[in-house]
């Protein structure tokens, strides 16, 4: 075999959503902060294309690059590469990264609980891992501050008319629609329709509503559309269905950790969820993330909440992605059958 580059990857998924982790073969990108490094990766595109485009990647794949942390309190840092975005934070990817770090021995595991601090592009996240028999069985992540943006905003979507939506930030930016009122029961058979409709709603929201993070002027768009189920209250707390449409047109297989934080921010703003309460979100494949409001804060001039989200992840394989010098598609390719129109 011959190769002009070899990238070492440990593959994982968190409650169904793929979150591979690059553990070797890539030098840290330039930048004084993890955020600046992530912006370099977003602009440069070469690493994103190599690992996300076919034939090595696909629209279903997220990939995380481990880099040395910049903050003195952080044990490790990671840069998230999603199909279309290089975001500040991702719950499922943080859970995958934590699991890979501990299960592979990159960071030492202490049973029954290991505490680590990760540096995401958007800031520090504190992690508690419940561990047994050499396996990180459940990851609990103190997420970035989350806040409701607009409540009950009107949005025109061609073919749908006027929708009433909420917008919020939970480590990433969301436009949130009520799934039952749109005729969705949030079952697996609806994934195709929800994915394509969600992309249309996200694009409409970016055009008509816009998003601006008070403390991060670089983040000024909506990434996702959350189709939110009704909230039911039971003995174990609150429970809801969730389906997040990810550009260019897929559904998150997990319940989406940042969406869970964003939904809790909206519920808190409406007085429908209080500090200390738990909300469990269920994905289209039946997997779950649980979230709690653990405190309040402010982001710029906005009231915000501090959340803890939890879920499980599993390592699925070890890969070496290589590039033969004669390969005519060194950065891969995309076709609209799965990637959608650009």
């Amino acid at each position: 075999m011959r190769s002009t580059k070899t990238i070492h990857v440990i593959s994982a998924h968190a409650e169904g959503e793929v979150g591979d982790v690059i553990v070797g073969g890539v030098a840290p990108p330039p930048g004084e902060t993890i955020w600046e490094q992530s912006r370099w990766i977003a602009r440069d595109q070469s690493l994103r294309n190599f690992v996300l485009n076919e034939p090595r990647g696909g629209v279903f794949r997220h990939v995380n690059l481990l880099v040395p942390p910049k903050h003195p309190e952080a044990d490790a840092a990671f840069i998230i590469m999603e199909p279309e975005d290089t975001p500040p934070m991702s719950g499922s990817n943080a859970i995958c990264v934590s699991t890979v770090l501990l299960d592979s021995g990159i960071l030492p595991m202490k049973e029954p609980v290991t505490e680590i601090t990760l540096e995401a592009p958007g800031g520090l996240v504190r992690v508690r891992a419940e561990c047994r028999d050499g396996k990180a069985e459940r990851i609990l992540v103190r997420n970035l501050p989350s806040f409701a943006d607009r409540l009950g905003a009107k949005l025109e979507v061609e073919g749908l008319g006027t929708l009433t939506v909420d917008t919020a930030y939970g480590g990433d930016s969301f436009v949130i629609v009520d799934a039952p009122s749109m005729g969705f029961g949030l079952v697996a058979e609806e994934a195709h329709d929800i994915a394509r409709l969600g992309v249309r709603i996200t694009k409409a929201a970016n055009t008509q509503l816009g998003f601006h993070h008070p403390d991060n002027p670089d983040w000024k768009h909506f990434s996702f559309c959350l189709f939110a189920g009704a909230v039911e209250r039971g003995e174990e707390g609150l429970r809801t269905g969730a389906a997040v449409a990810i550009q260019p047109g897929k559904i998150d297989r997990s319940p989406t950790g940042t969406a869970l934080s964003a939904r809790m921010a909206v519920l808190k703003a409406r007085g429908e969820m209080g500090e200390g309460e738990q909300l469990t979100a269920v994905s289209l494949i039946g997997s779950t993330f649980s979230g709690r409001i653990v405190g309040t804060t402010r982001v710029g001039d906005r009231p915000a909440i501090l959340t803890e989200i939890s879920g499980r992840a599993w390592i699925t394989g070890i890969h070496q992605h290589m590039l033969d010098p004669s390969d005519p598609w060194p950065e891969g390719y995309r076709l609209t059958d799965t990637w959608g129109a650009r």
Side-chain angles (χ1 to χ4, degrees):
M1 294 186 293
R2 58 180 185 170
S3 180
T4 56
K5 74 167 70 172
T6 302
I7 294 179
H8 305 273
V9 174
I10 298 179
S11 293
H13 77 87
E15 301 292 352
E17 184 73 347
V18 173
D20 290 353
V21 183
I22 297 173
V23 297
V26 178
E32 295 299 315
T33 65
I34 303 300
W35 180 254
E36 289 179 5
Q37 290 181 314
S38 74
R39 293 312 88 200
W40 188 91
I41 283 179
R43 290 190 304 270
D44 177 72
Q45 289 287 309
S46 58
L47 178 62
R48 286 180 48 86
N49 290 340
F50 187 76
V51 296
L52 292 174
N53 287 355
E54 299 171 45
R56 297 168 192 86
V59 72
F60 64 93
R61 190 178 300 281
H62 299 192
V63 180
N64 302 278
L65 173 64
L66 290 183
V67 293
K70 301 289 188 178
H71 196 287
E73 296 179 20
D75 299 293
F78 67 110
I79 296 169
I80 310 139
M81 292 173 281
E82 296 177 344
E84 293 286 359
D85 273 319
T86 310
M89 175 56 184
S90 165
S92 66
N93 283 290
I95 291 170
C96 282
V97 167
S98 300
T99 300
V100 166
L101 286 170
L102 295 175
D103 285 9
S104 69
I106 295 174
L107 291 180
M109 179 185 292
K110 180 181 178 181
E111 298 183 14
V113 175
T114 305
E115 295 186 356
I116 60 175
T117 298
L118 298 181
E119 189 173 7
L124 292 181
V125 291
R126 311 288 182 176
V127 173
R128 288 188 300 119
E130 298 174 353
C131 305
R132 185 174 62 176
D133 297 332
K135 170 77 179 89
E137 294 187 323
R138 177 166 292 272
I139 305 295
L140 299 94
V141 179
R142 292 289 180 102
N143 195 11
L144 304 180
S146 304
F147 58 88
D149 183 29
R150 303 190 191 202
L151 300 179
K154 300 301 180 183
L155 180 67
E156 297 290 333
V157 181
E158 185 176 356
L160 295 177
T162 303
L163 302 181
T164 301
V165 305
D166 300 322
T167 64
Y169 181 85
D172 209 332
S173 40
F174 291 84
V175 54
I176 303 172
V177 299
D178 181 69
S181 68
M182 300 185 70
F184 290 113
L186 298 180
V187 294
E189 292 75 17
E190 297 169 339
H192 182 275
D193 292 337
I194 292 175
R196 277 138 190 83
L197 184 57
V199 169
R200 289 169 55 197
I201 294 171
T202 302
K203 289 179 178 178
N206 276 317
T207 299
Q208 298 172 39
L209 301 178
F211 177 80
H212 297 278
H213 191 286
D215 291 342
N216 186 349
D218 290 338
W219 203 252
K220 48 191 176 184
H221 70 276
F222 293 107
S223 295
F224 307 123
C225 178
L226 165 62
F227 288 77
V231 176
E232 300 175 352
R233 186 178 293 273
E235 293 182 0
E236 297 182 357
L238 307 176
R239 192 174 182 89
T240 186
V244 169
I246 299 176
Q247 297 195 62
K250 62 155 278 190
I251 293 296
D252 195 329
R253 273 57 176 157
S254 81
T256 313
T258 50
L260 178 55
S261 291
R263 184 81 190 279
M264 289 191 288
V266 169
L267 293 173
K268 177 69 165 59
R270 286 209 165 99
E272 298 173 4
M273 184 176 181
E275 191 169 339
E277 286 195 286
Q278 178 169 291
L279 175 64
T280 297
V282 185
S283 76
L284 293 190
I285 66 168
S287 60
T288 62
F289 283 159
S290 292
R292 290 190 305 120
I293 300 175
V294 296
T296 59
T297 186
R298 298 192 72 83
V299 176
D301 61 351
R302 297 175 181 270
I305 61 171
L306 301 172
T307 67
E308 182 180 73
I309 55 178
S310 71
R312 304 167 298 169
W314 297 267
I315 289 175
T316 60
I318 299 175
H319 305 281
Q320 291 180 316
H321 294 310
M322 306 174 74
L323 176 62
D324 189 294
S326 66
D327 190 332
W329 295 281
E331 291 192 6
Y333 43 82
R334 297 185 177 194
L335 287 176
T336 58
D337 59 340
T338 56
W339 285 97
R342 300 295 294 231

